[in-house]
Structures are given as C-alpha cells and as structure tokens.
Amino acid sequence: MLPRLAIVALGVFVMASPVLADVTGSKPFGKTADGTPVETYTLKNKNGVTVKLMTLGATVTEINVPDKKGKFANVVLGFDDVAGYQSDRNQYFGCTVGRVANRIAKGKFTLDGKEYKLAINNEPNHLHGGAKRSLDKVVWKGGILKFKDSNEAAVAFSYKSPDGEEGYPGAVTIGVVFSLNDKNELRIDYSAQTDKATLVNLTNHSYFNLAGAGADTVLDHDLKLEANDYVPVDKTLIPTGKLEPVKGTIFDFTKMGRIGERIEKLYDTGAKGYDHCYVLTKREPKPSTATLAARLLEPKSGRVLTVLTDQPGVQVYTGNFLFGQKGKDGKVYNQRSAICLETGGLPDAVNQPTFPSVILRPVETYRHTCVYKFSAE
Ligand code: BGC
C-alpha cells in the first residue's frame, strides 16, 4: 500500500522494479503482431464508473459513465482487440502519446548544438513521437496499486525508452499512473527521467463523445476553455510562432459555446476543423496542482467532462481525420464524431523560442497531471 502523496513519484518507483509489487487484476487482452502479450486492467469506483486500460500504449480503452438519468455509456473510442489497435484504423485512440506529443516541424530539432532528425510520419512533419516505437506502439509494464489513505485504486504503467529510440537522445524512464476516485475523477500522473538532455511532452489521446462512442458527431457538444489565446498554425499545422487572442474569433470558447457553430469556417484549412492548441490561463505554478482547463457538455445526455491540468496548453482536436472506421462493438467513427482534449506543452516547442521548453535534463523529473472528471446535469 502506498500513501496517496507518493503518486507523483510512483512512475519512477514503478520503473525501478522489474516486477511490480501488486500485480493483480490484470486480464489477457491478446497478443501483438510480434506475439507480445497485452494485459487489460479495470478501475471501478463506488458509483459504478469503470475505466479500462491496457498495456499496449498505456491506453484508455473504455470509460463508462452515467448520464443525467443514470444510464451508462462508454464515452471513448476504441477497438475490440489488439489487432484493431495495431491497425491503420487506429489514430492514437486513448493512448499515451510521446516522447513528444503533437508536431515537430520537418522532424528536426537542435539540442545543445547537435541536430537531431526524426521520422516524418505526417508529411512534412514529425507527429506524436514517431513511426515505429512511439509510446502508443510499445507494450508497457503494468500493475495495480492501492493507496493506504483512500479506497482508490490506480494502475501504473512504466516504459524504459532506450537512447536513440525514434531518433530522440537519452534513455528515458517513463511512468504513467491512472487513478479513479469516487468523485468520478480519472487522474493521470505522468513522470519521466532521462540520462541525457532530451525532449519530453506526454499526453493522453482519448477521443470523447459524451453521447456515447459511435454517436454521430460532437458538433452538438458545448465547450468552454480557460484560454484567452491560441496557437495559430500554417497549412501543415505547424505554429506560426505567434499567439493570437481568441476574443471574437471562431476560436473563442471563453464562454460555453457549441462546437459546431463556427467550425465550418475551418473545413477548407489543413486542420479541417478544430485542431489547435489553446494557451491555458491561471496556471498554478506549484507542480502537479491541476487547475481548470476545459468543460465539455453533451446537452441531451447531460454528461459533462471537466478537464484539469498543470500544463500550459490543451490541444483541441475535433476528430477531423476520422474516416468512418469501424471500432468497438461495430460502431462507426465518422469525421468529427469525437473530440480530444490533450493537455501538455505547446506544439513544436523545441523550434519555437517563445514557447515553454519541453527539454528534460538528467537532473530533472518531468511531471504532468491531467484530470478528466465526469458528471451529469
Ligand atoms: C493531432 C491531429 C492528428 C491526430 C492524429 C491529434 O492530436 O492534433 O492533427 O491528426 O492527433 O490522430
């Protein structure tokens, strides 16, 4: 049993132990194409909310939450089996993204005077950590943790990414802990340490539809963001380098607003909808203190998702590149049928001198907390 406060250090703790102290509750989910077993874990709270996770990609595969009448639905996109997650139908569904989430212009960066070249897996840029061994594509170690001072259970994942993996310098030890409490808060605590200067910017890529995964669209969801500025991008979705105020523009979600109201104006851009990083206000300087970032409401079911984080940004991505692929339970995921609210650093930060740094040095520990809280009204 671990005290609740140990949660942030947990990632590092878990990684140090090749076999986890408390590996119970895991179930086989299948095998990857190369024969590696994949395990799933289920977190359940006293309200009947369940969160399913798996070791491939440290991925959230299901979140079952009630609507205003108490009716449960799974609100995140996913697949029935490992093959689905390993297929090209998978666009980072529910996974942990890294080493660097979002784009790096032309797959190039310079760190301490040395130039690094990364995979160009989203022409002409590098996206979400690379092509073959990005964090969504590897099988993590997993285990269930219990806390001494609460009934909460948590699932901890760890992965040791070798020096040079996907072109990034440094051997990086990464931990991600998912915990669920009786307030229907799914908390994600990330940590990472490196043996050489490198880049780290992790996120979770859950695609939400609060009417239930597979419901037609999220254009009828309402959204509010704690952001006065956003990051404008070029047609390849690389930041122009400036931050722009959202006030009075189609990017303005400072008040609760319908996602579909003005999105059409973005259909002919490279993003094909919202696919923009918002710069969060009122950041709490204390590490791992997550403050309000976003609120998403689906008016018919009354389901609400509140997002809290300690990070500077949230990427709002309205599933513009979903293409009608078949997912879990035969559900079809059409374009704009889900929204990702990816907390983290700003895109292409390593090439943008004015953006907060995503460089991690050996003496430091990367930390990031994101809370997805579910309610109904
Ligand atoms: C990005 C999109 C990208 C998607 C891939 C999102 O995080 O912002 O541009 O297409 O991930 O599924």
Side-chain angles (χ1 to χ4, degrees), residues 90-93 97 101-103 122 127-128 203 205 207 237 270-271 274-276 315-317 320-322 340 342:
N90 186 10
Q91 296 174 310
Y92 302 90
F93 286 5
V97 182
N102 222 309
R103 289 175 176 78
N122 186 256
L127 176 69
H128 289 338
T203 197
H205 210 288
Y207 285 75
L237 306 190
Y274 292 105
D275 194 352
H276 296 83
Q315 181 81 11
V316 176
Y317 170 55
N320 314 311
F321 303 113
L322 291 170
C340 303
E342 306 158 44

Side-chain angles (χ1 to χ4, degrees), residues 87-313:
S87 73
D88 55 14
R89 286 178 289 147
N90 186 10
Q91 296 174 310
Y92 302 90
F93 286 5
C95 67
T96 297
V97 182
R99 295 186 189 186
V100 178
N102 222 309
R103 289 175 176 78
I104 294 180
K106 308 267 185 344
K108 273 196 240 168
F109 68 92
T110 302
L111 179 58
D112 296 340
K114 190 170 168 201
E115 190 180 78
Y116 293 88
K117 287 205 172 97
L118 307 168
I120 307 295
N121 57 334
N122 186 256
E123 280 293 336
N125 302 313
H126 175 84
L127 176 69
H128 289 338
K132 294 194 176 117
R133 301 278 305 166
S134 49
L135 298 182
D136 57 294
K137 294 180 185 68
V138 297
V139 177
W140 297 54
K141 280 200 180 93
I144 289 186
L145 302 162
K146 297 239 189 262
F147 298 99
K148 217 186 342 200
D149 49 359
S150 79
N151 294 329
E152 272 173 58
V155 175
F157 294 108
S158 67
Y159 177 65
K160 193 155 185 154
S161 177
D163 188 5
E165 191 163 56
E166 281 293 343
Y168 291 97
V172 180
T173 313
I174 304 162
V176 186
V177 177
F178 294 87
S179 55
L180 177 69
N181 64 20
D182 288 336
K183 291 188 271 177
N184 296 353
E185 292 171 343
L186 172 64
R187 174 177 164 140
I188 312 173
D189 287 288
Y190 304 85
S191 62
Q193 286 181 331
T194 183
D195 66 352
K196 274 187 206 154
T198 191
L199 310 181
V200 175
N201 177 36
L202 310 177
T203 197
N204 178 268
H205 210 288
S206 287
Y207 285 75
F208 297 98
N209 187 317
L210 298 180
D216 210 32
T217 177
V218 286
L219 299 181
D220 53 1
H221 284 44
D222 292 326
L223 179 67
K224 182 171 188 281
L225 298 168
E226 300 302 311
N228 297 323
D229 298 294
Y230 80 106
V231 180
V233 288
D234 68 15
K235 62 179 190 312
T236 75
L237 306 190
I238 291 297
T240 59
K242 283 192 264 167
L243 304 180
E244 294 281 351
V246 295
K247 200 91 206 139
T249 73
I250 53 175
F251 297 101
D252 191 349
F253 286 99
T254 51
K255 295 197 188 84
M256 208 65 174
R258 192 66 31 121
I259 291 176
E261 200 178 308
R262 298 155 295 177
I263 194 175
E264 241 178 274
K265 304 217 165 78
L266 293 166
Y267 286 1
D268 289 335
T269 66
K272 299 194 187 316
Y274 292 105
D275 194 352
H276 296 83
C277 187
Y278 282 75
V279 184
L280 295 167
T281 51
K282 291 185 265 172
R283 291 304 81 200
E284 168 64 57
K286 216 166 105 207
S288 81
T289 304
T291 51
L292 185 63
R295 191 167 189 273
L296 181 70
L297 162 75
E298 197 279 303
K300 281 199 194 121
S301 65
R303 288 194 189 93
V304 175
L305 165 63
T306 307
V307 183
L308 299 96
T309 188
D310 55 2
Q311 293 294 294

